[in-house]
Amino acid sequence: MIPVQGFSDKTVFVLGMGRTGLTAARALREGGAHPICWDDGEAGRTRAADEGFEVQDPLKGGVLEQAAALIVSPGIAHLYPTPHAVIAAALRAGVPVDNDIGLFFRSYATRDWDNFDQTPKVIAVTGSNGKSTTSALIHHILEHANRPAQLAGNIGRGVLDLEPAEDGDVVVLELSSYQTDLARALTPDIAVFTNLSPDHLDRHAGMGGYFAAKRRLFAEGGPDRAVIGVDEPEGQFLAMQLSEGPADDRVIRISSGQKLDTAGWSVFVKKGFLSETRKGRQVASIDLRSVAGLPGAHNHQNACAAYAAVRSLGLAPRVIEAAFHSFGGLPHRSQLIAERGGVRFVNDSKATNIDSAAKALQAFKNVRWICGGLQKEGGLDALHPHLGSVRTAYVIGREAEAFALGLPGIDARICTTMAEAVSQAAAEAEAGDTVLLAPAAASFDQYDSFEARGDDFAAQVAKLMD
């Protein structure tokens, strides 16, 4: 655990007693602070009390105004659509509001670092899609190269639950827009921006606010190296803002599908080949077509981002290439579950929005598409140009009929349940087809999480294999 610095003998309120909040409270206590915990749910308050934390409603007794800070879990709205009542009270009282990411960046570096031969580094990854795979891939490459590395953030492990830095350690953080928007300190050594597409717009009051939240990762501390996906205008704009000119190699531009002709440092994939160029000259190339754990253009973009990040640390291209081939991918992200009779079953339950579903569909041919769930704002119109590979759609979810109506011209079967969708898709699939779960919707109408939805898909497929 990383003890939080700067709050010794001070009272700090922690709002939200899930994994993130409890870890923050423990790290604050470890650093000498007096954390007071609160959760809107009784179960959360009980969890805190069971660990010996003081539990008190910050809206009663004027206690919040005396606090040194309020630490907030990422699932709690801090500004849009409306601030949580406790956060609103802190804003009125002028109490600093922060999150575990801000606490991490103010606490990770210690005086012990003066004795290290190699200063620890932090690589932070954000973006709409691919940040989990990119973060996991960076971590995998570092482990393959025998570099001490830790992985945390939005991908699962709380950042304050990491071990204190060792000599030459590299921490890889996946950061969501909720986390970057609120953190009062953001100072990674290498920052990665994968891409941008509409998501979480209610929490950021539209695309402008959403992009601004992502951009804070680069604007607050100024990373030594910025890896920027430039396949959207926002990425191009961000790369321009961060560089002094086309030849400024502090910015590495990356792309999947287009050749980048720049005078600086770039990494791109064209026709399945990853190329690294510097000062207009190619310095390395990797054939990604046979890398089983990174199928499709969207994963090629993830490969570019990870490649650029670890090249910034000095890793050799051949070391990175070997690590690509041993990467198994992440669960629920273009994950090959099984293959039978020439039919592949692929779990991409993480494709919860239109852009990620479109990228999943483009990665395969002859798709038997399992889709549906809790639709997000904007409808399905933006998905229509990417349905050419779909042979049949098998729609799940409580609003399956309404979802199917948003797929004109597609043979759509109303299945409602995962069991029925898998059964029908498997029965109709032919050799060369891919049964693909890429819902283009959230899971919460039927499941607690996209992981639970993906697990159900895998379980239903497993029944077919018996």
Side-chain angles (χ1 to χ4, degrees), residues 334-355:
S334 296
Q335 179 189 17
L336 180 62
I337 295 294
E339 186 168 353
R340 185 185 70 172
V343 176
R344 292 181 296 176
F345 295 82
V346 176
N347 169 19
D348 204 335
S349 184
K350 185 62 170 64
T352 59
N353 59 39
I354 297 300
D355 186 65

PDB file of all heavy atoms in Angstrom, residues 334-355:
ATOM      1  N   SER A 334     -12.641  -8.902 -27.403  1.00  0.00           N
ATOM      2  CA  SER A 334     -12.250  -9.705 -28.573  1.00  0.00           C
ATOM      3  C   SER A 334     -11.610 -11.020 -28.137  1.00  0.00           C
ATOM      4  O   SER A 334     -10.624 -11.468 -28.707  1.00  0.00           O
ATOM      5  CB  SER A 334     -11.288  -8.917 -29.476  1.00  0.00           C
ATOM      6  OG  SER A 334     -11.935  -7.781 -30.012  1.00  0.00           O
ATOM      7  N   GLN A 335     -12.188 -11.642 -27.132  1.00  0.00           N
ATOM      8  CA  GLN A 335     -11.642 -12.853 -26.532  1.00  0.00           C
ATOM      9  C   GLN A 335     -12.197 -14.089 -27.235  1.00  0.00           C
ATOM     10  O   GLN A 335     -13.405 -14.325 -27.234  1.00  0.00           O
ATOM     11  CB  GLN A 335     -11.997 -12.895 -25.045  1.00  0.00           C
ATOM     12  CG  GLN A 335     -11.493 -14.123 -24.302  1.00  0.00           C
ATOM     13  CD  GLN A 335     -12.061 -14.214 -22.897  1.00  0.00           C
ATOM     14  OE1 GLN A 335     -13.054 -13.569 -22.565  1.00  0.00           O
ATOM     15  NE2 GLN A 335     -11.432 -15.019 -22.071  1.00  0.00           N
ATOM     16  N   LEU A 336     -11.312 -14.872 -27.818  1.00  0.00           N
ATOM     17  CA  LEU A 336     -11.728 -16.117 -28.453  1.00  0.00           C
ATOM     18  C   LEU A 336     -12.072 -17.132 -27.367  1.00  0.00           C
ATOM     19  O   LEU A 336     -11.208 -17.566 -26.607  1.00  0.00           O
ATOM     20  CB  LEU A 336     -10.618 -16.654 -29.352  1.00  0.00           C
ATOM     21  CG  LEU A 336     -10.913 -17.968 -30.085  1.00  0.00           C
ATOM     22  CD1 LEU A 336     -12.086 -17.809 -31.039  1.00  0.00           C
ATOM     23  CD2 LEU A 336      -9.675 -18.454 -30.838  1.00  0.00           C
ATOM     24  N   ILE A 337     -13.354 -17.500 -27.311  1.00  0.00           N
ATOM     25  CA  ILE A 337     -13.842 -18.411 -26.273  1.00  0.00           C
ATOM     26  C   ILE A 337     -13.699 -19.866 -26.696  1.00  0.00           C
ATOM     27  O   ILE A 337     -13.272 -20.719 -25.925  1.00  0.00           O
ATOM     28  CB  ILE A 337     -15.327 -18.113 -25.938  1.00  0.00           C
ATOM     29  CG1 ILE A 337     -15.459 -16.724 -25.324  1.00  0.00           C
ATOM     30  CG2 ILE A 337     -15.900 -19.171 -25.007  1.00  0.00           C
ATOM     31  CD1 ILE A 337     -14.796 -16.587 -23.976  1.00  0.00           C
ATOM     32  N   ALA A 338     -14.067 -20.147 -27.942  1.00  0.00           N
ATOM     33  CA  ALA A 338     -14.056 -21.533 -28.424  1.00  0.00           C
ATOM     34  C   ALA A 338     -14.131 -21.533 -29.938  1.00  0.00           C
ATOM     35  O   ALA A 338     -14.441 -20.510 -30.569  1.00  0.00           O
ATOM     36  CB  ALA A 338     -15.231 -22.316 -27.836  1.00  0.00           C
ATOM     37  N   GLU A 339     -13.855 -22.685 -30.521  1.00  0.00           N
ATOM     38  CA  GLU A 339     -13.986 -22.873 -31.962  1.00  0.00           C
ATOM     39  C   GLU A 339     -14.490 -24.288 -32.190  1.00  0.00           C
ATOM     40  O   GLU A 339     -13.973 -25.247 -31.612  1.00  0.00           O
ATOM     41  CB  GLU A 339     -12.655 -22.649 -32.659  1.00  0.00           C
ATOM     42  CG  GLU A 339     -12.754 -22.677 -34.179  1.00  0.00           C
ATOM     43  CD  GLU A 339     -11.499 -22.163 -34.855  1.00  0.00           C
ATOM     44  OE1 GLU A 339     -10.607 -21.665 -34.142  1.00  0.00           O
ATOM     45  OE2 GLU A 339     -11.418 -22.263 -36.095  1.00  0.00           O
ATOM     46  N   ARG A 340     -15.521 -24.401 -33.042  1.00  0.00           N
ATOM     47  CA  ARG A 340     -16.097 -25.711 -33.337  1.00  0.00           C
ATOM     48  C   ARG A 340     -16.577 -25.755 -34.771  1.00  0.00           C
ATOM     49  O   ARG A 340     -17.325 -24.869 -35.196  1.00  0.00           O
ATOM     50  CB  ARG A 340     -17.275 -26.006 -32.387  1.00  0.00           C
ATOM     51  CG  ARG A 340     -17.855 -27.410 -32.539  1.00  0.00           C
ATOM     52  CD  ARG A 340     -19.078 -27.612 -31.674  1.00  0.00           C
ATOM     53  NE  ARG A 340     -20.208 -26.840 -32.151  1.00  0.00           N
ATOM     54  CZ  ARG A 340     -21.451 -26.938 -31.673  1.00  0.00           C
ATOM     55  NH1 ARG A 340     -21.704 -27.769 -30.676  1.00  0.00           N
ATOM     56  NH2 ARG A 340     -22.436 -26.193 -32.155  1.00  0.00           N
ATOM     57  N   GLY A 341     -16.119 -26.741 -35.518  1.00  0.00           N
ATOM     58  CA  GLY A 341     -16.571 -26.894 -36.894  1.00  0.00           C
ATOM     59  C   GLY A 341     -16.290 -25.695 -37.772  1.00  0.00           C
ATOM     60  O   GLY A 341     -17.074 -25.382 -38.667  1.00  0.00           O
ATOM     61  N   GLY A 342     -15.173 -25.007 -37.504  1.00  0.00           N
ATOM     62  CA  GLY A 342     -14.819 -23.838 -38.297  1.00  0.00           C
ATOM     63  C   GLY A 342     -15.536 -22.572 -37.882  1.00  0.00           C
ATOM     64  O   GLY A 342     -15.384 -21.529 -38.527  1.00  0.00           O
ATOM     65  N   VAL A 343     -16.330 -22.638 -36.799  1.00  0.00           N
ATOM     66  CA  VAL A 343     -17.043 -21.468 -36.272  1.00  0.00           C
ATOM     67  C   VAL A 343     -16.339 -20.988 -35.011  1.00  0.00           C
ATOM     68  O   VAL A 343     -16.103 -21.774 -34.077  1.00  0.00           O
ATOM     69  CB  VAL A 343     -18.515 -21.800 -35.952  1.00  0.00           C
ATOM     70  CG1 VAL A 343     -19.212 -20.589 -35.323  1.00  0.00           C
ATOM     71  CG2 VAL A 343     -19.238 -22.249 -37.202  1.00  0.00           C
ATOM     72  N   ARG A 344     -15.995 -19.688 -34.984  1.00  0.00           N
ATOM     73  CA  ARG A 344     -15.358 -19.115 -33.806  1.00  0.00           C
ATOM     74  C   ARG A 344     -16.396 -18.398 -32.948  1.00  0.00           C
ATOM     75  O   ARG A 344     -17.330 -17.776 -33.464  1.00  0.00           O
ATOM     76  CB  ARG A 344     -14.271 -18.124 -34.226  1.00  0.00           C
ATOM     77  CG  ARG A 344     -13.076 -18.770 -34.900  1.00  0.00           C
ATOM     78  CD  ARG A 344     -12.028 -17.737 -35.276  1.00  0.00           C
ATOM     79  NE  ARG A 344     -12.518 -16.792 -36.274  1.00  0.00           N
ATOM     80  CZ  ARG A 344     -11.829 -15.744 -36.710  1.00  0.00           C
ATOM     81  NH1 ARG A 344     -10.629 -15.487 -36.217  1.00  0.00           N
ATOM     82  NH2 ARG A 344     -12.336 -14.960 -37.642  1.00  0.00           N
ATOM     83  N   PHE A 345     -16.203 -18.470 -31.632  1.00  0.00           N
ATOM     84  CA  PHE A 345     -17.068 -17.783 -30.674  1.00  0.00           C
ATOM     85  C   PHE A 345     -16.217 -16.753 -29.945  1.00  0.00           C
ATOM     86  O   PHE A 345     -15.258 -17.113 -29.247  1.00  0.00           O
ATOM     87  CB  PHE A 345     -17.675 -18.781 -29.695  1.00  0.00           C
ATOM     88  CG  PHE A 345     -18.607 -19.778 -30.334  1.00  0.00           C
ATOM     89  CD1 PHE A 345     -18.103 -20.915 -30.964  1.00  0.00           C
ATOM     90  CD2 PHE A 345     -19.978 -19.568 -30.332  1.00  0.00           C
ATOM     91  CE1 PHE A 345     -18.958 -21.823 -31.571  1.00  0.00           C
ATOM     92  CE2 PHE A 345     -20.831 -20.480 -30.931  1.00  0.00           C
ATOM     93  CZ  PHE A 345     -20.328 -21.606 -31.547  1.00  0.00           C
ATOM     94  N   VAL A 346     -16.543 -15.479 -30.121  1.00  0.00           N
ATOM     95  CA  VAL A 346     -15.717 -14.383 -29.613  1.00  0.00           C
ATOM     96  C   VAL A 346     -16.528 -13.523 -28.655  1.00  0.00           C
ATOM     97  O   VAL A 346     -17.627 -13.059 -28.987  1.00  0.00           O
ATOM     98  CB  VAL A 346     -15.171 -13.523 -30.771  1.00  0.00           C
ATOM     99  CG1 VAL A 346     -14.392 -12.322 -30.235  1.00  0.00           C
ATOM    100  CG2 VAL A 346     -14.278 -14.362 -31.679  1.00  0.00           C
ATOM    101  N   ASN A 347     -15.965 -13.292 -27.479  1.00  0.00           N
ATOM    102  CA  ASN A 347     -16.596 -12.503 -26.425  1.00  0.00           C
ATOM    103  C   ASN A 347     -16.009 -11.100 -26.407  1.00  0.00           C
ATOM    104  O   ASN A 347     -14.866 -10.898 -26.006  1.00  0.00           O
ATOM    105  CB  ASN A 347     -16.376 -13.211 -25.081  1.00  0.00           C
ATOM    106  CG  ASN A 347     -16.764 -12.337 -23.892  1.00  0.00           C
ATOM    107  OD1 ASN A 347     -17.491 -11.365 -24.025  1.00  0.00           O
ATOM    108  ND2 ASN A 347     -16.265 -12.700 -22.713  1.00  0.00           N
ATOM    109  N   ASP A 348     -16.794 -10.109 -26.843  1.00  0.00           N
ATOM    110  CA  ASP A 348     -16.404  -8.701 -26.732  1.00  0.00           C
ATOM    111  C   ASP A 348     -17.489  -7.956 -25.969  1.00  0.00           C
ATOM    112  O   ASP A 348     -18.015  -6.931 -26.414  1.00  0.00           O
ATOM    113  CB  ASP A 348     -16.183  -8.076 -28.116  1.00  0.00           C
ATOM    114  CG  ASP A 348     -15.249  -6.867 -28.059  1.00  0.00           C
ATOM    115  OD1 ASP A 348     -15.170  -6.245 -26.983  1.00  0.00           O
ATOM    116  OD2 ASP A 348     -14.607  -6.552 -29.059  1.00  0.00           O
ATOM    117  N   SER A 349     -17.812  -8.476 -24.790  1.00  0.00           N
ATOM    118  CA  SER A 349     -18.855  -7.857 -23.968  1.00  0.00           C
ATOM    119  C   SER A 349     -18.511  -6.435 -23.569  1.00  0.00           C
ATOM    120  O   SER A 349     -19.394  -5.635 -23.255  1.00  0.00           O
ATOM    121  CB  SER A 349     -19.103  -8.706 -22.715  1.00  0.00           C
ATOM    122  OG  SER A 349     -20.168  -8.194 -21.946  1.00  0.00           O
ATOM    123  N   LYS A 350     -17.212  -6.099 -23.582  1.00  0.00           N
ATOM    124  CA  LYS A 350     -16.781  -4.737 -23.239  1.00  0.00           C
ATOM    125  C   LYS A 350     -17.191  -3.728 -24.302  1.00  0.00           C
ATOM    126  O   LYS A 350     -17.134  -2.510 -24.051  1.00  0.00           O
ATOM    127  CB  LYS A 350     -15.252  -4.725 -23.087  1.00  0.00           C
ATOM    128  CG  LYS A 350     -14.663  -3.399 -22.623  1.00  0.00           C
ATOM    129  CD  LYS A 350     -15.155  -3.005 -21.244  1.00  0.00           C
ATOM    130  CE  LYS A 350     -14.393  -1.826 -20.680  1.00  0.00           C
ATOM    131  NZ  LYS A 350     -14.566  -0.584 -21.439  1.00  0.00           N
ATOM    132  N   ALA A 351     -17.655  -4.192 -25.474  1.00  0.00           N
ATOM    133  CA  ALA A 351     -18.107  -3.272 -26.526  1.00  0.00           C
ATOM    134  C   ALA A 351     -19.471  -2.712 -26.131  1.00  0.00           C
ATOM    135  O   ALA A 351     -20.512  -3.081 -26.663  1.00  0.00           O
ATOM    136  CB  ALA A 351     -18.181  -3.993 -27.862  1.00  0.00           C
ATOM    137  N   THR A 352     -19.451  -1.772 -25.188  1.00  0.00           N
ATOM    138  CA  THR A 352     -20.697  -1.248 -24.629  1.00  0.00           C
ATOM    139  C   THR A 352     -21.198  -0.003 -25.348  1.00  0.00           C
ATOM    140  O   THR A 352     -22.305   0.465 -25.063  1.00  0.00           O
ATOM    141  CB  THR A 352     -20.500  -0.906 -23.140  1.00  0.00           C
ATOM    142  OG1 THR A 352     -19.459   0.068 -23.014  1.00  0.00           O
ATOM    143  CG2 THR A 352     -20.128  -2.146 -22.344  1.00  0.00           C
ATOM    144  N   ASN A 353     -20.399   0.563 -26.253  1.00  0.00           N
ATOM    145  CA  ASN A 353     -20.863   1.735 -26.993  1.00  0.00           C
ATOM    146  C   ASN A 353     -20.754   1.489 -28.495  1.00  0.00           C
ATOM    147  O   ASN A 353     -20.228   0.471 -28.950  1.00  0.00           O
ATOM    148  CB  ASN A 353     -20.091   3.003 -26.575  1.00  0.00           C
ATOM    149  CG  ASN A 353     -18.591   2.889 -26.790  1.00  0.00           C
ATOM    150  OD1 ASN A 353     -18.127   2.320 -27.786  1.00  0.00           O
ATOM    151  ND2 ASN A 353     -17.799   3.434 -25.874  1.00  0.00           N
ATOM    152  N   ILE A 354     -21.256   2.412 -29.273  1.00  0.00           N
ATOM    153  CA  ILE A 354     -21.336   2.239 -30.722  1.00  0.00           C
ATOM    154  C   ILE A 354     -19.956   2.101 -31.346  1.00  0.00           C
ATOM    155  O   ILE A 354     -19.714   1.235 -32.201  1.00  0.00           O
ATOM    156  CB  ILE A 354     -22.092   3.422 -31.359  1.00  0.00           C
ATOM    157  CG1 ILE A 354     -23.539   3.470 -30.847  1.00  0.00           C
ATOM    158  CG2 ILE A 354     -22.070   3.322 -32.881  1.00  0.00           C
ATOM    159  CD1 ILE A 354     -24.342   2.232 -31.141  1.00  0.00           C
ATOM    160  N   ASP A 355     -19.026   2.936 -30.929  1.00  0.00           N
ATOM    161  CA  ASP A 355     -17.711   2.934 -31.551  1.00  0.00           C
ATOM    162  C   ASP A 355     -16.977   1.616 -31.306  1.00  0.00           C
ATOM    163  O   ASP A 355     -16.388   1.042 -32.225  1.00  0.00           O
ATOM    164  CB  ASP A 355     -16.885   4.105 -31.015  1.00  0.00           C
ATOM    165  CG  ASP A 355     -15.556   4.250 -31.733  1.00  0.00           C
ATOM    166  OD1 ASP A 355     -15.574   4.537 -32.944  1.00  0.00           O
ATOM    167  OD2 ASP A 355     -14.511   4.079 -31.093  1.00  0.00           O
TER     168      ASP A 355
END
